[in-house]
Amino acid sequence: PIVMLVNRRRAGDFRGVSEMADVLGLTDAAARTLTNLQVAGETHAIPARWVAGVAKGDFVDAQGKPIPVWESYFTAMSATGNKDAKFGQFSASDLKNFHDTVNHYAALVASVTKMPATYLGLTTANPASADAIRSAEAPHVKLAERKQRAFGDAWAWVGALYERFRTGSWENGNAMRTEWHDAATPTVAARADAIVKLNGGKPILSVEGSWDELGWTEARKATERARMSDEASDPEMQRLMRDLVMGTEASVASTADSGIVG
């Protein structure tokens, strides 16, 4: 069986569009720039040397044999018998223009793909705060959420096919639904704070629901249930809870006897 999972589907067009279609031109341009950078690094990054007042026969080794051209280029001549000879070197080329061009293409890719600049190495400084991270990732997260909506139906079809093979009967088309995790960057502190606020005052989440919000696996939940069961049957724990309740009741009674009205 085949399930149609099309990226950027449009009415009447079931072929879809590759997610890389918007950046192919930019990546090709960046590749050309990097190739030119490599060529420039081989030919212009090393300062070229020059010498005047010498002849070809002066380029010989200690045994008097002629030095190959490439060796004479990379091996500087430091002395000659000609008193009028002059030595020098040209300034090396600055390759910063290639670096700036590649970074410019990276910035364009970031704007097209909605990716944060830090993902492409354009920004290396630490974010100012968690809110700054969320602000930078907001367009990328929104794009991921749109993909979830587009691909959710297809994965639901996959689940329906699985049930068809498992049970031998066709399920209702609306019985399957794909549930996605939050596409934003999760932080334990932020999720825990939200859960505490949801549970404070008027609880709206059960313990199991809180575990789901924390993203615990079924194995983790089973372990926690076993621990809670052990605590409930622990006589020492029961004694501590009984002492705590009796102490609270005694404090309330003492307050009432002293005539203090809360």
Side-chain angles (χ1 to χ4, degrees):
I2 297 176
V3 173
M4 182 176 61
L5 202 155
V6 183
N7 190 52
R8 298 186 187 180
R9 182 172 54 184
R10 295 293 185 271
D13 180 12
F14 298 98
R15 295 172 299 177
V17 179
S18 171
E19 200 66 19
M20 294 297 296
D22 296 336
V23 298
L24 287 178
L26 295 174
T27 54
D28 289 343
R32 288 193 297 270
T33 303
L34 290 174
T35 302
N36 293 335
L37 172 61
Q38 289 179 320
V39 174
E42 294 289 342
T43 59
H44 293 79
I46 300 177
R49 291 178 293 274
W50 57 266
V51 58
V54 296
K56 184 177 181 181
D58 294 330
F59 292 89
V60 294
D61 57 16
Q63 287 74 31
K65 295 181 180 180
I67 300 177
V69 176
W70 67 270
E71 186 175 344
S72 63
Y73 176 78
F74 285 101
T75 303
M77 178 183 290
S78 57
T80 179
N82 188 348
K83 64 178 182 179
D84 296 327
K86 295 181 181 179
F87 296 89
Q89 72 177 21
F90 298 103
S91 299
S93 298
D94 185 6
L95 305 182
K96 187 175 182 295
N97 57 324
F98 292 103
H99 303 163
D100 293 341
T101 302
V102 172
N103 289 336
H104 176 64
Y105 287 140
L108 292 177
V109 169
S111 65
V112 171
T113 60
K114 312 303 181 187
M115 295 179 64
T118 53
Y119 286 16
L120 295 173
L122 295 176
T123 303
T124 57
N126 291 329
S129 63
D131 291 334
I133 297 176
R134 284 191 289 269
S135 176
E137 293 181 347
H140 193 55
V141 171
K142 180 58 64 176
L143 178 63
E145 292 173 348
R146 291 172 179 170
K147 297 299 180 186
Q148 290 176 351
R149 288 196 298 269
F151 297 155
D153 291 342
W155 286 114
W157 297 344
V158 173
L161 284 173
Y162 170 81
E163 288 299 308
R164 167 76 170 112
F165 298 140
R166 187 179 70 87
T167 62
S169 61
W170 287 105
E171 297 294 333
N172 181 6
N174 295 325
M176 293 292 174
R177 178 182 178 184
T178 304
E179 293 186 359
W180 300 90
H181 281 288
D182 186 1
T185 301
T187 59
V188 176
R191 294 179 67 86
D193 180 66
I195 292 172
V196 169
K197 290 178 179 178
L198 291 174
N199 276 322
K202 182 180 179 181
I204 62 173
L205 285 177
S206 64
V207 173
E208 296 275 350
S210 299
W211 293 348
D212 289 335
E213 288 295 322
L214 287 173
W216 286 5
T217 63
E218 291 302 322
R220 178 72 171 86
K221 295 176 186 178
T223 301
E224 199 64 27
R225 293 190 194 100
R227 290 172 177 171
M228 288 183 172
S229 178
D230 293 340
E231 289 180 356
S233 59
D234 185 0
E236 184 65 22
M237 183 63 67
Q238 291 178 356
R239 184 187 66 80
L240 292 174
M241 293 299 296
R242 184 171 57 254
D243 292 344
L244 178 62
V245 172
M246 292 177 63
T248 302
E249 292 176 350
S251 176
V252 172
S254 175
T255 301
D257 293 341
S258 63
I260 298 176
V261 179

